[in-house]
Amino acid sequence: MKNFAMTFGSMKSLLFSLIAIMFLTLTACDSNDDAIPADNLSADSGDEEVIDGYFEDTDDVVFEANDQVSTTNGRIAIGRDHSLIRCAEITHDTENKTITIDFGDGCEGPGGKIRSGKIIITYTDRKYVPGAIWVYTLENYTVNGIALEGTKTLTNVTGEESDYLSFNKVLEGGKATWPDGLFATREVNKTFTWIREPNPIDDEFHVEGEASGVTKNGMAYEMDIVSKLIYKRKCRRAGVHIAVQGLKSIVKGDSEVLIDFGDGECDNLVTITKDGESEVVDLTDKRRDKNS
């Protein structure tokens, strides 16, 4: 069941489709994890979560584009209503291995997100092939009015003997600028691993790594995933879109905030600790994009 020699051979086409579906759902877990409310202890973690969400949104778009363009050359038509790129113009230059996703002056996707500008991708091979490298840059790109800049390199680091697909993602020169002119910067190095199980409902998505930057209030921070963040497909189906296990540390100046996502139960509860004081926060009704 977990043999990659067979997976990338006779079952290649089926696996590509399944992987695309899984990554569009599971990476959405990470990209939507941007709503820790700005109250009391959790205010210290809010900016990091928000900017992370906007940059992870670009991954969702790129993964879907990868699935849609396949080996087709030229302009690609996307017609599905639920597609993240349904209103974008997609072109694929197979000779130069370049994909351009152009949202124009702005169009609304699922969930009400309005994207504009371009994501330009260069690649060495299909994303799901071990060793493949994808580099994508943002050109006048915005999400809900927030301008994003930077270059992201995604490398398929799945080992030849590995049971699971793994990707390393590095963001360099990341910057988010709000309509009022305030901005935040971000650098990221994370690894994502898809844990496949015999029953797909039991699949998990594990995230490790670190990030750093400056918030829009001018505060430098460092984020470290102390204990890998675990997202579960069955929890997403139950309406829980955040990690359900793992520990994240955010350091600003001399202050450290710990965000504990729990012990694997499908709930929207996180425990936030600062200076020995802890607060349990229920994110169920507080998940929203923050534009200010």
Side-chain angles (χ1 to χ4, degrees):
M1 187 78 184
K2 297 176 180 176
N3 186 316
F4 267 96
M6 178 187 72
T7 297
F8 286 99
S10 61
M11 297 183 67
K12 185 175 181 180
S13 295
L14 175 60
L15 180 60
F16 280 175
S17 297
L18 290 175
I19 291 172
I21 293 170
M22 282 301 302
F23 270 89
L24 285 173
T25 56
L26 290 176
T27 56
C29 294
D30 193 44
S31 67
N32 287 334
D33 187 16
D34 60 1
I36 288 184
D39 55 3
N40 301 330
L41 300 181
S42 54
D44 291 296
S45 63
D47 279 354
E48 197 277 331
E49 296 290 331
V50 170
I51 191 172
D52 185 51
Y54 283 111
F55 279 107
E56 290 298 324
D57 179 77
T58 64
D59 295 331
D60 297 344
V61 172
V62 169
F63 267 88
E64 182 169 344
N66 171 79
D67 178 54
Q68 294 298 323
V69 300
S70 186
T71 58
T72 305
N73 195 31
R75 184 173 297 181
I76 315 298
I78 308 295
R80 303 196 314 272
D81 287 342
H82 63 276
S83 170
L84 296 175
I85 54 178
R86 65 187 180 191
C87 60
E89 180 179 293
I90 316 296
T91 54
H92 187 195
D93 181 345
T94 56
E95 181 178 354
N96 295 303
K97 294 186 176 180
T98 301
I99 300 169
T100 301
I101 308 170
D102 187 354
F103 290 96
D105 293 332
C107 59
E108 183 175 339
K113 282 189 176 179
I114 298 177
R115 301 174 179 86
S116 66
K118 298 179 182 180
I119 300 177
I120 302 173
I121 307 157
T122 58
Y123 63 92
T124 61
D125 207 333
R126 281 192 64 110
K127 185 173 293 183
Y128 306 116
V129 175
I133 299 174
W134 280 48
V135 178
Y136 39 109
T137 56
L138 309 176
E139 183 178 302
N140 298 321
Y141 184 72
T142 71
V143 180
N144 290 347
I146 297 178
L148 302 180
E149 304 173 40
T151 300
K152 184 169 286 189
T153 301
L154 186 144
T155 305
N156 186 322
V157 294
T158 305
E160 292 184 3
E161 302 300 322
S162 176
D163 290 335
Y164 308 116
L165 282 167
S166 294
F167 294 86
N168 175 249
K169 293 198 294 187
V170 175
L171 172 65
E172 298 176 293
K175 182 179 180 181
T177 303
W178 277 256
D180 60 7
L182 293 177
F183 65 90
T185 63
R186 186 168 178 81
E187 307 282 330
V188 175
N189 190 331
K190 291 182 181 179
T191 298
F192 298 78
T193 302
W194 175 24
I195 307 299
R196 299 172 60 228
E197 298 294 346
N199 185 346
I201 193 65
D202 295 322
D203 285 1
E204 297 180 355
F205 196 56
H206 294 184
V207 182
E208 300 176 273
E210 59 191 13
S212 62
V214 178
T215 71
K216 64 179 181 178
N217 294 321
M219 177 67 72
Y221 69 87
E222 294 184 358
M223 185 284 294
D224 180 54
I225 298 177
V226 180
S227 177
K228 62 185 175 186
L229 302 182
I230 298 177
Y231 300 85
K232 296 184 178 182
R233 189 180 187 191
K234 65 181 179 182
C235 294
R236 179 173 174 80
R237 286 195 174 184
V240 178
H241 299 273
I242 64 172
V244 294
Q245 189 171 336
L247 183 67
K248 176 188 289 189
S249 166
I250 299 176
V251 176
K252 294 183 180 180
D254 296 327
S255 177
E256 179 182 32
V257 175
L258 295 174
I259 307 172
D260 188 340
F261 290 87
D263 57 5
E265 293 296 319
C266 293
D267 59 41
N268 285 295
L269 301 178
V270 297
T271 301
I272 301 176
T273 302
K274 179 182 177 183
D275 298 330
E277 180 184 355
S278 296
E279 175 183 344
V280 177
V281 178
D282 186 349
L283 303 184
T284 303
D285 298 317
K286 298 179 179 180
R287 301 182 57 77
R288 62 189 183 276
D289 280 337
K290 296 181 179 181
N291 296 325
S292 61

